[in-house]
Amino acid sequence: MKYLALLPLVLALPLAAQASSRPTYGLSVQLDAPLGNLKDDTDKSIGGGASFLVQWDLGGGHAIRPRLDLNLFNVSSYSPSHSNYKESRNLSAVGLGVDYLYYLNGRPKGLYFTGGAGVTRWDLTYTTSDKNGNNYSTSYDSNKNTTSLSLAAGLGWQFTRVIGLEARFVHSPYKAFDLNDPTSTTRTDVNRDGNFLQLAGTFRW
């Protein structure tokens, strides 16, 4: 299944070769609002990230945009007062995919719609530490990795050739262990929806 996620990127390459203009490069900086299972697993924490973008304009308002994404959620860090114990949980996602964009006015400016697909690797870590003197030493460390198909859809507004604003809904499932009992040696994997809303500022050059 994860290899099927690369299909949109492969299919996009011939279209890029036919593009009437050279590609433009860009970056986006985003905030991620978790939904559903992801909201529970992140303790409702807002995540953040950045993306590297390459866009080919195909003419007539059509464009394709391969992208490399990194999104991070600092889930929680808990250290009781008057205690030498500390625990932390973090969730990160690295993705590679391609978006299709359609500009309503026929050129890369103003309102546009976008949809995309790709592959995402999720990394969930859970760590406990005990304080020894002035430093903490790890007493338990667990990691769970998942690679899955990701889908996205949204809309944006290209204000100038350089600056834009985009909102997307992203679906990217992952597997996790039971965070209510993370140190259990008999834990089983649970499927999570991996849904979040993303608000991104984009910059092209």
Side-chain angles (χ1 to χ4, degrees), residues 5 25 31 35 42 45 53 75 78 83 95 104 120 123 133 142 193-194:
Y25 301 92
L31 293 176
L35 303 171
T42 58
S45 298
L53 313 170
V75 180
Y78 172 67
S83 173
L104 269 64
T120 298
D123 186 10
S142 184
D193 55 33

Side-chain angles (χ1 to χ4, degrees), residues 29 110-112 155-159 163-167 199-203:
V29 180
L111 181 65
Y112 64 88
L155 53 83
W157 189 278
Q158 192 68 36
F159 295 100
I163 299 173
L165 184 66
E166 185 171 306
L199 181 64
T202 61
F203 307 90

Side-chain angles (χ1 to χ4, degrees), residues 132-199:
N132 185 8
N134 294 324
N135 300 313
Y136 282 93
S137 60
T138 299
S139 55
Y140 180 84
D141 190 7
S142 184
N143 185 279
K144 181 67 181 175
N145 298 320
T146 308
T147 301
S148 66
L149 172 69
S150 60
L151 300 172
L155 53 83
W157 189 278
Q158 192 68 36
F159 295 100
T160 68
R161 191 186 71 85
V162 176
I163 299 173
L165 184 66
E166 185 171 306
R168 306 197 310 155
F169 170 80
V170 181
H171 170 71
S172 179
Y174 64 95
K175 292 183 181 293
F177 45 77
D178 185 0
L179 294 178
N180 292 319
D181 189 16
T183 61
S184 171
T185 59
T186 60
R187 63 175 180 261
T188 57
D189 292 343
V190 291
N191 295 318
R192 317 302 276 167
D193 55 33
N195 295 335
F196 58 93
L197 291 176
Q198 184 177 86
L199 181 64

Side-chain angles (χ1 to χ4, degrees), residues 91-122:
L91 193 61
S92 63
V94 178
L96 177 65
V98 61
D99 298 327
Y100 164 75
L101 292 79
Y102 177 67
Y103 294 87
L104 269 64
N105 64 6
R107 57 193 180 93
K109 191 174 182 181
L111 181 65
Y112 64 88
F113 294 98
T114 179
V119 62
T120 298
R121 175 186 168 92
W122 288 91

Side-chain angles (χ1 to χ4, degrees), residues 78-85:
Y78 172 67
S79 181
S81 58
H82 308 294
S83 173
N84 291 326
Y85 172 80

